[in-house]
Amino acid sequence: MAKKILIVDDEPDILEILRFNLETEGYDIVTSEAPYDLKAELPDLILLDVMMTPKSGFEWAKELKSGAFTAHIPIIFCTAKATEEDMLTGFGLGSDDYICKPFRISEVKARV
């Protein structure tokens, strides 16, 4: 069974690029412009943008990491927020990795 990856980004082009490239690696991809109710169908990994509305990816990560059903799911931030403070915030919220945009797809594949 293929590992399921949830990609959350408010940019449709980014969603499509990541979906296409990770599907070719054999992953089962679900894309969304905001995290959805994960209780029914938990992914094995979440790729999460930071700059989104109405909640930022940091806010979503905090909620996901504090939830009983979702705390164990690895999170990799994929974001244009590239300062050291941003990265430390992401890691402080429990993310497993932090990839800065613009990224190389080979880098994303290697980290996934």
Side-chain angles (χ1 to χ4, degrees):
M1 179 191 286
K3 298 285 185 179
K4 183 182 298 274
I5 300 174
L6 170 61
I7 304 169
V8 183
D9 198 304
D10 59 354
E11 295 181 43
D13 290 342
I14 297 291
L15 289 174
E16 181 56 26
I17 289 166
L18 290 171
R19 184 201 58 76
F20 174 80
N21 283 281
L22 293 172
E23 278 183 345
T24 62
E25 295 292 313
Y27 295 104
D28 180 15
I29 303 299
V30 176
T31 61
S32 179
E33 292 185 13
Y36 58 92
D37 181 7
L38 298 178
K39 292 178 186 174
E41 191 175 340
L42 295 177
D44 297 294
L45 172 68
I46 300 171
L47 297 180
L48 183 59
D49 186 21
V50 172
M51 294 186 293
M52 297 184 295
T53 57
K55 292 183 185 178
S56 74
F58 289 152
E59 292 171 302
W60 286 115
K62 185 176 180 179
E63 286 183 26
L64 291 167
K65 288 300 184 178
S66 66
F69 294 104
T70 55
H72 70 283
I73 301 170
I75 294 173
I76 298 176
F77 283 109
C78 287
T79 180
K81 293 193 60 81
T83 68
E84 181 179 3
E85 183 178 327
D86 294 326
M87 287 185 229
L88 292 174
T89 297
F91 285 121
L93 290 168
S95 75
D96 296 87
D97 209 342
Y98 199 101
I99 302 170
C100 297
K101 294 176 185 176
F103 52 76
R104 292 185 176 99
I105 198 65
S106 59
E107 178 185 8
V108 174
K109 288 179 183 180
R111 291 176 184 229
V112 166

